[in-house]
């Protein structure tokens, strides 16, 4: 199937899908691989791809673009708060992050993860609140994106090539990158937690999936490769998770300038505190894992290994990956990062 972006999407062959389904119980609707790029995505992506690609962005939009688990939600909360809630008194601040700051490409994930109860899902209910006459089949996230008031802060895990080519000339983009060794552990946990992914394999196998570019939204390095050369574009802000972690206030100051939000030092100080790991963790049950979504995640994984906000560390991999796993990632990272000229903190 040819997409508006020019990519061709092909269903993964049965034998490959059979192998993946043994480890990822949630991908029952299948996966597609796109050419060029090798992007791996849930099969329902093809239903929404052209609508996402043809989305009209506005000058007042800020798009937060990331490979999964690089600090997207943190950045969404920081940016949404800076733009909409500078004095921390917004009445809707406790709504789920993805309702305030829509995740434009998430319809394919909701499709994948939806149960068959016949009842409106939590996401459908949320959409009705914001857009009463909306038809969820047209895409919940797409319609939320279209109808939330300006200024919009929009999340995507898609790379530049799957978004409209004039994105960066129209809207502002914040690209967040994170050390792949921490990403793989964070993504492993997420893949076990969320039933729509339903990972039941080992860490060892998961590292193999990662370095073979078989996880959804990958290849990881290709995602970065499309963003990194654009880092000096005036509408682009390139952010590292590790820098946010080391000095959040300094990064908020840079964002203040990039976004033109004109916040005072005192406001930035309060927002840095409000968006710290500890404070966001306290709001987890409202903003990312509401009880209405309990059927979408595995309670036992949440209890054992943590919720959506797991550890929030930079370099946490050092106590969790063994030498063999580190070596596999190092070989793969060296080959790719040298080509790009990109260096991550906490790499060794
Ligand atoms: P860990 O799993 O390593 O804890 P994303 O939002 O892109 O899915 O990324 C999720 C990762 O960002 C998780 O990493 C999560 O804990 C971390 N994170 C979220 N909010 C954070 C914060 N305020 N400070 C530090 N890390 C945060």
């Amino acid at each position: 199937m040819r997409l508006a972006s020019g990519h061709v999407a092909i269903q993964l062959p049965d034998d490959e899908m059979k192998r993946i389904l043994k480890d990822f119980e949630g991908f029952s609707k299948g996966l597609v691989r796109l050419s060029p790029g090798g992007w791996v995505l849930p099969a329902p992506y093809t239903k929404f791809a052209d609508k996402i690609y043809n989305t009209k962005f506005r000058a007042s939009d800020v798009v937060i673009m990331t490979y999964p688990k690089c600090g997207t939600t943190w950045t969404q909360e920081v940016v949404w708060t800076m733009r909409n809630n500078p004095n921390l008194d917004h009445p809707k601040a406790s709504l789920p992050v993805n309702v305030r700051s829509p995740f434009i490409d998430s319809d394919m994930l909701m499709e994948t993860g939806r149960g068959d109860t016949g009842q409106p899902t939590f996401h459908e209910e949320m959409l009705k609140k914001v857009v009463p006459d909306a038809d969820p089949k047209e895409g919940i996230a797409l319609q939320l994106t279209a109808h939330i008031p300006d200024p919009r802060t929009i999340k995507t895990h898609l790379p530049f090539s799957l978004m409209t080519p004039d994105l960066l000339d129209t809207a502002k983009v914040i690209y967040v990158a994170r050390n792949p060794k921490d990403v793989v552990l964070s993504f492993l946990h997420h893949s076990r937690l969320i039933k729509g992914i339903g990972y039941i394999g080992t860490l060892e196998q998961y590292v193999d999936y990662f370095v073979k570019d078989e996880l959804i939204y990958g290849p990881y390095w290709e995602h970065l490769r499309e963003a990194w050369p654009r880092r000096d574009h005036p509408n682009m802000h390139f952010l590292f998770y590790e820098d946010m972690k080391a000095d959040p206030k300094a990064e908020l100051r840079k964002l203040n300038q990039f976004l033109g939000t004109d916040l005072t030092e005192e406001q930035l100080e309060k927002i840095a505190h409000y968006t710290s790991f500890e404070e966001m963790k306290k709001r987890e049950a409202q903003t990312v894992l509401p009880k209405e979504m309990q059927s979408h995640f595995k309670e036992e994984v949440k209890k054992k290994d943590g919720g959506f906000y797991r550890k929030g560390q930079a370099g946490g991999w050092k106590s969790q990956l063994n030498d063999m796993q580190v070596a596999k990632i190092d070989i793969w990272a060296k080959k790719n990062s040298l080509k790009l000229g990109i260096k991550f903190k906490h790499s060794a």
Side-chain angles (χ1 to χ4, degrees):
M1 177 179 191
R2 185 171 286 277
L3 307 174
S5 61
H7 294 79
V8 175
I10 296 175
Q11 291 266 357
L12 259 56
D14 284 353
D15 53 337
E16 196 177 348
M17 206 54 236
K18 229 168 149 181
R19 170 178 63 82
I20 291 174
L21 269 172
K22 275 195 196 137
D23 295 325
F24 293 87
E25 292 182 324
F27 291 152
S28 54
K29 295 215 166 126
L31 296 170
V32 287
R33 187 173 281 122
L34 268 51
S35 175
W39 306 109
V40 178
L41 293 161
Y45 168 68
T46 55
K47 256 175 70 183
F48 302 103
D50 290 357
K51 284 189 183 161
I52 299 170
Y53 185 79
N54 290 321
T55 296
K56 294 263 172 286
F57 288 93
R58 307 168 192 158
S60 56
D61 289 338
V62 172
V63 175
I64 297 170
M65 180 186 279
T66 61
Y67 180 87
K69 312 319 288 178
C70 289
T72 331
T73 318
W74 187 10
T75 312
Q76 281 172 285
E77 197 62 289
V78 165
V79 172
W80 187 87
T81 305
M82 289 178 70
R83 302 180 88 202
N84 301 279
N85 190 18
N87 298 316
L88 306 179
D89 54 3
H90 195 297
K92 294 193 175 152
S94 59
L95 278 178
V97 181
N98 287 347
V99 172
R100 289 176 280 125
S101 164
F103 176 12
I104 189 169
D105 39 300
S106 60
D107 287 308
M108 62 177 170
L109 301 169
M110 292 185 225
E111 281 270 316
T112 318
R114 186 176 297 173
D116 211 7
T117 60
Q119 296 297 317
T121 63
F122 171 67
H123 295 107
E124 287 169 358
E125 303 262 8
M126 280 289 159
L127 174 65
K128 289 276 172 195
K129 274 190 196 167
V130 184
V131 194
D133 55 352
D135 176 2
K137 288 197 198 72
E138 293 298 312
I140 294 172
L142 275 166
Q143 291 183 75
L144 265 181
T145 306
H147 291 99
I148 58 159
D150 288 333
R152 304 186 299 179
T153 300
I154 298 163
K155 156 183 171 180
T156 185
H157 284 321
L158 293 175
F160 271 103
S161 58
L162 298 179
M163 303 294 279
T164 176
D166 63 5
L167 171 64
L168 202 49
D169 293 322
T170 313
K172 289 193 160 106
V173 176
I174 300 174
Y175 189 93
V176 192
R178 186 180 188 189
N179 188 317
K181 289 177 186 155
D182 284 326
V183 169
V184 73
L185 288 162
S186 186
F187 209 0
L188 166 70
H189 170 65
H190 184 88
S191 301
R192 286 178 168 155
L193 180 68
I194 304 298
K195 289 187 187 168
I197 304 179
Y199 184 69
I200 52 166
T202 63
L203 162 61
E204 190 67 47
Q205 289 167 299
Y206 201 83
V207 169
D208 288 341
Y209 278 109
F210 190 46
V211 300
K212 287 183 185 159
D213 299 323
E214 290 185 325
L215 298 179
I216 54 166
Y217 284 112
Y220 168 91
W221 290 103
E222 186 62 16
H223 208 292
L224 263 175
R225 200 196 55 75
E226 290 194 3
W228 184 241
R230 293 172 157 102
R231 66 192 179 282
D232 294 327
H233 189 290
N235 268 353
M236 173 94 163
H237 184 74
F238 202 99
L239 186 65
F240 284 96
Y241 178 97
E242 291 73 23
D243 292 341
M244 279 266 277
K245 195 68 206 168
D247 192 348
K249 201 51 194 309
E251 295 307 315
L252 261 63
R253 271 192 217 111
K254 289 185 207 162
L255 282 170
N256 199 22
Q257 199 148 29
F258 176 69
L259 298 168
T261 30
D262 211 17
L263 303 185
T264 63
E265 272 294 303
E266 196 193 346
Q267 284 173 315
L268 293 178
E269 180 75 48
K270 286 187 176 153
I271 294 173
H273 173 73
Y274 177 75
T275 56
S276 66
F277 182 81
E278 293 69 25
E279 290 299 306
M280 283 181 57
K281 181 88 194 159
K282 285 184 199 162
R283 302 192 295 273
E284 182 174 69
Q286 291 170 300
T287 54
V288 284
L289 293 180
K291 66 174 185 328
E292 295 87 342
M293 272 182 60
Q294 220 153 26
S295 61
H296 291 260
F297 59 86
K298 290 187 182 164
E299 191 61 36
E300 68 276 16
V301 175
K302 180 170 170 249
K303 282 205 181 104
K304 185 167 160 273
D305 299 324
F308 189 91
Y309 303 123
R310 186 184 59 108
K311 285 194 182 325
Q313 292 171 355
W317 63 268
K318 288 176 193 178
S319 60
Q320 291 165 72
L321 292 175
N322 67 29
D323 291 348
M324 180 62 97
Q325 291 151 0
V326 169
K328 279 181 186 168
I329 299 175
D330 275 342
I331 293 168
W332 168 77
K334 198 169 172 192
K335 197 171 68 193
N336 288 286
S337 60
L338 278 180
K339 259 194 281 178
L340 268 184
I342 195 166
K343 276 201 184 114
F344 285 99
K345 292 184 178 151
H346 307 286
S347 283

